[in-house]
């Protein structure tokens, strides 16, 4: 495993990302990662908070349009996160924090699918707000908070 991580880190891209003085290297990738995070988790938080009772005047039906935007943010985050990983694969890839963060992200994405199905997926029932959707929203908010905290922890440790 360490050989694979070392080859990723020592690839031309990994070296360029880590050592280039260009603003288009590490700073640009980190900025894209932050923007992707804001779009994905921000859209998710809007839906979660609405389901938890904040902004009840905002109808749920139009919030379904957030999903394509959230998925764009997710993929920007996934690609930029992979690039950041390649730049420091031997350090990040061997830590429990990184594995924990990946697990949290997987569970968070599964919850997002479940939330969409629960709220918007009833074929003839329209938009449905249930105790299940509220529980999923609370769990979703907690998971994305934890994902951000583990990411920040990785950045400084």
């Amino acid at each position: 495993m360490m050989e694979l991580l070392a080859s990723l880190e020592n690839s031309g891209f990994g070296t360029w990302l880590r050592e280039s003085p260009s603003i288009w290297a590490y700073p640009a990738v980190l900025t894209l990662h932050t923007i992707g995070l804001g779009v994905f988790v921000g859209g998710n938080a809007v839906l979660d908070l609405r389901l938890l009772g904040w902004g009840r005047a905002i109808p749920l039906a139009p919030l379904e349009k957030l999903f394509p935007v959230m998925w764009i943010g997710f993929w920007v985050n996934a690609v930029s996160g992979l690039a950041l990983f390649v730049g420091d694969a031997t350090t990040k890839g061997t830590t429990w924090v990184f594995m924990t963060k990946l697990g949290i992200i997987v569970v968070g994405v599964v919850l997002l699918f479940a939330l969409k199905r629960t709220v918007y997926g009833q074929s003839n029932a329209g938009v449905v707000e249930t105790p299940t959707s509220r529980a999923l929203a609370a769990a979703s908010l907690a998971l994305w908070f934890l994902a951000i905290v583990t990411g920040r922890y990785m950045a400084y440790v």
Side-chain angles (χ1 to χ4, degrees), residues 65-142:
K65 293 177 182 173
L66 285 174
F67 282 91
V69 176
M70 285 190 284
W71 289 119
I72 290 168
F74 173 81
W75 287 110
V76 167
N77 227 31
V79 170
S80 60
L82 181 61
L84 291 170
F85 176 75
V86 167
D88 199 15
T90 57
T91 303
K92 304 295 186 217
T94 57
T95 65
W96 66 270
V97 177
F98 180 72
M99 295 303 165
T100 301
K101 180 181 177 184
L102 288 182
I104 291 168
I105 291 168
V106 167
V107 174
V109 168
V110 168
L111 278 181
L112 184 60
F113 279 115
L115 192 61
K116 184 175 184 186
R117 187 179 60 250
T118 302
V119 175
Y120 300 104
Q122 304 350 6
S123 57
N124 57 2
V127 177
V128 179
E129 190 174 348
T130 65
T132 301
S133 65
R134 287 188 285 279
L136 288 170
S140 174
L141 270 180

Side-chain angles (χ1 to χ4, degrees), residues 1-9 89-90:
M1 183 62 152
M2 280 304 288
E3 292 173 12
L4 174 63
L5 295 175
S7 68
L8 282 172
E9 190 172 304
T90 57

